[in-house]
Amino acid sequence: MRGFVTLLARNRLALVGLIVIGCVALLALITPLLPLANPNVIDTPNRFQPPFSAGAVLGTDHLGRDLLSRLLWGTRLSLAMGLAAAMIAATIGSAIGIIAGYYGGRTDNVIMRGVDMLMGFPYILLALAIVAALGPGLMNALIAVAAVNVPFFARNIRGITVGIAHKEFVDAARLSGMRNREIILSEVLPNVLPVIVIAMSTTVGWMILETAGLSFLGLGSQPPQADLGSMLGEARSALITHPHTSIVPGAMILVIVMGINLLGDGVRDALDPRLKSGALSRPMPATTVDRHGPVPVAQTDSLLDIAGLRTEFRVRDRVYKAVGGVDLHVERGECLGIIGESGSGKSVTALSVMGLVASPPGVITGGAVHFDGTDLIGAPYEVLRALRGRRVAYIFQDPLATLHPLYRVGDQLIEAIQTHDPLSKEAARTRAIDLLKSVRIPNAESRIDSYPYEMSGGMRQRVGIAMALANDPDVIIADEPTTALDVTVQAQILSVLSDLRRARGLAIIFITHDFGVVGQLCDRVAVMYAGQIVEEGPTEAVLRNPHHPYTSRLIDCVPTLGGGQRKLAAIPGLPPVVDRLPVGCAFAERCDKAEPACRADAIALMPTGAGRKTRCLFPETKQERIV
Ligand code: ADP
Ligand code: MG
């Protein structure tokens, strides 16, 4: 609830709406207490007094009645009518929608066809027909407006309920022996309530307008009682001669409906979970950079050199330091493995290279990424765009999420090619077929016209690789490309990557949490923990003789075929949460060798000879392992 209020308050327009509606509602509430003239007393000698005349601040109408008094009493009535109509429509409509959506089948069919019939009539015509049948009057206008809005709520809520009624938690409730009525009240209703509130907040304004419309036509409030619609209706004949009689109620309607709509939009934005999670807000084209202090220089003249990279997520008042000072480099044609538990910052490191971390909430706060000599952090978007896919390409974990489900894979490949290379469609198609062949897709000429859903997981990931290769990049960053695949397919994909690397001189950064994969493919490996590199070195040396206790424990988690009935070691505890990192070694809590010194101060990544580095005060000194 507090979150809702802060979200609403952050939306300036909604706040304006809230204040306007608050003032109007307050005025309407205290109207009986104000020293106003009687709104219905006729005083014909003083008819059509202009505003600001003695005794009538807003003037008088065609019967000499005080306009201010009529306006306030009329606003009170119109607001009450609109709100009542909205409540009635929401209650009845939602009940119908929930019942239809929950029970489904014939119940749904019968109810919804009835609703469809109501919806078949033009809106205002239906309201007029209902009032005509019931006779003019305030109550009947209210019923008419509520009735014509019921189908809107019924349709909306039914749609949501159908989705919820088949969710697992509803099945679980049913299995636990709850009755339908209980399930509807305790499981379904709480989940559709936000939608009901959203639908109401966006339609109250309409309903006030509709009741005013009926009164305007003389079918709602009856003389002498004032509401905003009837005031407008009575002023119609004097519109040209005495415009203030129309302007006063007209302006009030405008203010109320504008206020309610602004507030309603704000309520919708604050309550809609998709909007709240930011799923509908588009991230910026490149990650925000907020870099202070001197820019680190490249430490090597490698193709890609990452120095002191820091990336954090600023979510409300929390700061998640996902990447806390990472140094890495990749040579041409080299394969570097990055390994670590889930959440250790591997993906964020990889995405930071091309400014692909979503902003907000991601911010790069330090470090440099030199690609071929130029620093990419803070580079103009055009520069990044020219490099993305062209010289540095990505392969992601889930090929089904990477490929657009509604386009043929060939079209997607051709698009990737044409983005950087103005080839004709035919030439691009030939190239796409070649690419599919190069990732060993059998029968590439016909497979190119398949949709992603017609392919197996392994085939889709090959298409993903082909897409990354489309523009002959220098570096491919593969973020757990085989995690979603089974072991045999994984082996095929790895061999494809390994061959391509040799044939094309590709540099590969291979992110994984599997030491087996690293051992097969990578020349060098960097081990990440809590946003930092804790150990780095040639793959074989690291696997044979890990220096950091974390690496050693990670390797112990890997089962070996024919390794006897060894008990697999799990690492106790959980990785630290990156918004509350300890001062010293982040692994100390889970390390059985930790000393007070480990927790005292930050520990540097120190060279330990033979191209190896370790971030540990007490490196392992075990004898060699057999891998
Ligand atoms: P992995 O090593 O599994 O690829 P990531 O690089 O995806 O891990 O994530 C590193 C850390 O950054 C995690 O602790 C994660 O919770 C955090 N993180 C990632 N994306 C976001 C985000 N959009 N907002 C807040 N925190 C995030
Ligand atoms: Mg990841």
Side-chain angles (χ1 to χ4, degrees), residues 341 529 571-577 586 589-590:
E341 274 169 289
Y529 188 77
I571 308 180
L574 290 172
V577 188
E589 284 309 313
R590 303 167 77 186

Side-chain angles (χ1 to χ4, degrees), residues 311-315 320-323 338-351 357-358 360-362 397 479-480 511-513 528 531 576-579:
T311 306
E312 57 190 39
F313 293 95
R314 297 178 180 164
V315 185
Y320 297 87
K321 295 194 171 141
V323 178
I338 303 183
I339 189 163
E341 274 169 289
S342 175
S344 52
K346 309 180 297 289
S347 298
V348 177
T349 306
L351 292 173
V357 178
Q397 175 174 346
D479 191 349
E480 310 208 25
I511 298 174
T512 177
H513 55 245
M528 268 194 97
V577 188
V578 286
D579 67 332

Side-chain angles (χ1 to χ4, degrees), residues 217-270:
L217 297 174
L219 301 171
S221 79
Q222 299 298 309
Q225 193 175 35
D227 85 343
L228 295 175
S230 66
M231 284 176 74
L232 264 185
E234 288 164 0
R236 189 172 36 169
S237 51
L239 179 62
I240 307 296
T241 47
H242 303 284
H244 72 275
T245 49
S246 305
I247 290 174
V248 167
M252 183 53 104
I253 292 181
L254 183 77
V255 166
I256 291 178
V257 175
M258 286 270 287
I260 288 187
N261 285 351
L262 289 180
L263 178 63
D265 285 352
V267 169
R268 185 196 56 207
D269 293 356

Side-chain angles (χ1 to χ4, degrees), residues 206-227:
W206 271 110
M207 296 203 209
I208 291 179
L209 275 185
E210 282 158 17
T211 27
L214 287 180
S215 292
F216 177 83
L217 297 174
L219 301 171
S221 79
Q222 299 298 309
Q225 193 175 35
D227 85 343

Side-chain angles (χ1 to χ4, degrees), residues 417-439:
I417 295 169
Q418 287 180 328
T419 308
H420 290 288
D421 200 348
L423 282 179
S424 72
K425 181 112 189 183
E426 286 71 45
R429 190 180 162 88
T430 319
R431 176 116 148 245
I433 293 176
D434 286 344
L435 281 170
L436 290 180
K437 283 183 182 156
S438 72
V439 293

Side-chain angles (χ1 to χ4, degrees), residues 108-121:
D108 184 27
N109 242 327
V110 171
I111 293 182
M112 290 326 282
R113 291 306 80 76
V115 167
D116 286 345
M117 255 154 58
L118 277 184
M119 279 187 125
F121 291 99

Side-chain angles (χ1 to χ4, degrees), residues 213-443:
L214 287 180
S215 292
F216 177 83
L217 297 174
L219 301 171
S221 79
Q222 299 298 309
Q225 193 175 35
D227 85 343
L228 295 175
S230 66
M231 284 176 74
L232 264 185
E234 288 164 0
R236 189 172 36 169
S237 51
L239 179 62
I240 307 296
T241 47
H242 303 284
H244 72 275
T245 49
S246 305
I247 290 174
V248 167
M252 183 53 104
I253 292 181
L254 183 77
V255 166
I256 291 178
V257 175
M258 286 270 287
I260 288 187
N261 285 351
L262 289 180
L263 178 63
D265 285 352
V267 169
R268 185 196 56 207
D269 293 356
L271 281 183
D272 192 325
R274 283 176 310 161
L275 294 172
K276 199 156 56 180
S277 71
L280 295 186
S281 67
R282 274 156 61 106
M284 313 231 278
T287 313
T288 315
V289 176
D290 181 12
R291 195 164 52 167
H292 302 287
V295 175
V297 288
Q299 291 164 345
T300 56
D301 52 1
S302 323
L303 180 60
L304 184 66
D305 180 285
I306 304 174
L309 179 70
R310 291 177 182 277
T311 306
E312 57 190 39
F313 293 95
R314 297 178 180 164
V315 185
R316 305 234 181 103
D317 44 1
R318 294 237 173 131
V319 176
Y320 297 87
K321 295 194 171 141
V323 178
V326 162
D327 301 297
L328 278 177
H329 63 98
V330 194
E331 311 292 337
R332 276 175 211 281
E334 186 190 32
C335 179
L336 168 73
I338 303 183
I339 189 163
E341 274 169 289
S342 175
S344 52
K346 309 180 297 289
S347 298
V348 177
T349 306
L351 292 173
S352 301
V353 169
M354 280 285 128
L356 287 173
V357 178
S359 282
V363 185
I364 295 178
T365 53
V369 174
H370 288 272
F371 177 75
D372 219 358
T374 42
D375 185 12
L376 297 182
I377 302 295
Y381 173 58
E382 292 311 318
V383 173
L384 287 177
R385 200 188 134 118
L387 291 175
R388 286 179 184 173
R390 172 80 193 82
R391 301 202 58 194
V392 180
Y394 286 83
I395 306 171
F396 294 104
Q397 175 174 346
D398 183 2
L400 198 53
T402 320
L403 296 172
H404 195 298
L406 300 182
Y407 289 97
R408 297 171 202 280
V409 294
D411 293 336
Q412 302 187 47
L413 264 172
I414 291 170
E415 190 188 4
I417 295 169
Q418 287 180 328
T419 308
H420 290 288
D421 200 348
L423 282 179
S424 72
K425 181 112 189 183
E426 286 71 45
R429 190 180 162 88
T430 319
R431 176 116 148 245
I433 293 176
D434 286 344
L435 281 170
L436 290 180
K437 283 183 182 156
S438 72
V439 293
R440 298 197 216 137
I441 288 192
N443 219 346

